[in-house]
Amino acid sequence: MYFYIKFYVMKLINNNPNRPYYTPEMKDKLLQFLIDNLNINRVYSLNKQPIKEFMDNMDWDLIDGLFWIFQKDGLIDKYALNFSTIDLILLPASVDFIAKGGYQMQAEIIDKQIELLRQQLKDLQKSKSWDKINTILETITHLKSLIQVAFIN
């Protein structure tokens, strides 16, 4: 059963084979850069080149995707891509989010949820209890929502 769940998780993450995968480390690195260099609740127009260099010359289309994820997650606002600059407002939620572990912490929580689910499935194989089945179904529902929040951006 664990393998079916893992397959489902990977299917959710990789539903488009051409879709780039943004690692939690990439997201945290860029978000931390913004926090270190900008004040919250101020409108900024930033040159794209220093950001690209900071992100190890990552393709700008991928960096742009990270900014859209940040906006969707409520960490920045008013994001706009121009020819050589970007406009944005860094929101207070970004500082709180990074202080609580950021995207890497989200990934760790999901890993722990998967491990918990795996253990519950092992226990279920032994006992075949309906109460445990309901608990596992609740965990799967919770895990699905975590995966969608963390990875389906």
Side-chain angles (χ1 to χ4, degrees):
M1 185 94 166
Y2 170 72
F3 297 107
Y4 294 116
I5 293 169
K6 186 172 182 181
F7 174 77
Y8 179 72
V9 169
M10 295 310 293
K11 185 177 176 186
L12 281 174
I13 293 170
N14 297 314
N15 58 0
N16 179 351
N18 298 321
R19 180 173 178 239
Y21 176 67
Y22 298 106
T23 66
E25 293 80 13
M26 276 185 219
K27 295 175 190 177
D28 286 345
K29 180 180 179 179
L30 182 55
L31 189 57
Q32 187 65 57
F33 175 80
L34 296 175
I35 291 168
D36 291 344
N37 292 288
L38 306 178
N39 293 318
I40 58 172
N41 291 329
R42 291 189 56 200
V43 178
Y44 285 94
S45 184
L46 305 171
N47 189 323
K48 289 174 13 180
Q49 191 59 34
I51 297 168
K52 183 175 172 119
E53 289 170 5
F54 179 77
M55 293 302 289
D56 303 319
N57 289 313
M58 179 187 293
D59 184 64
W60 187 261
D61 288 340
L62 294 175
I63 297 171
D64 181 52
L66 291 171
F67 282 107
W68 283 109
I69 290 169
F70 295 162
Q71 182 159 300
K72 179 183 170 287
D73 291 346
L75 305 174
I76 65 171
D77 196 18
K78 308 290 186 205
Y79 176 66
L81 177 63
N82 305 307
F83 180 71
S84 63
T85 62
I86 60 167
D87 299 332
L88 63 85
I89 299 171
L90 184 66
L91 297 176
S94 62
V95 177
D96 292 339
F97 183 70
I98 285 293
K100 293 176 183 173
Y103 290 99
Q104 291 180 62
M105 181 59 73
Q106 273 187 351
E108 287 177 27
I109 290 169
I110 289 171
D111 287 344
K112 288 178 183 178
Q113 289 288 328
I114 289 173
E115 184 57 36
L116 174 65
L117 181 59
R118 191 166 76 83
Q119 186 59 46
Q120 288 177 343
L121 288 171
K122 282 182 182 180
D123 294 345
L124 179 62
Q125 287 174 341
K126 295 174 188 172
S127 70
K128 298 182 182 179
S129 164
W130 286 107
D131 291 336
K132 288 192 178 204
I133 291 172
N134 289 333
T135 301
I136 290 172
L137 290 174
E138 289 172 11
T139 303
I140 290 171
T141 302
H142 181 68
L143 180 60
K144 181 181 175 187
S145 66
L146 283 175
I147 290 167
Q148 289 173 337
V149 167
F151 292 110
I152 312 303
N153 289 317

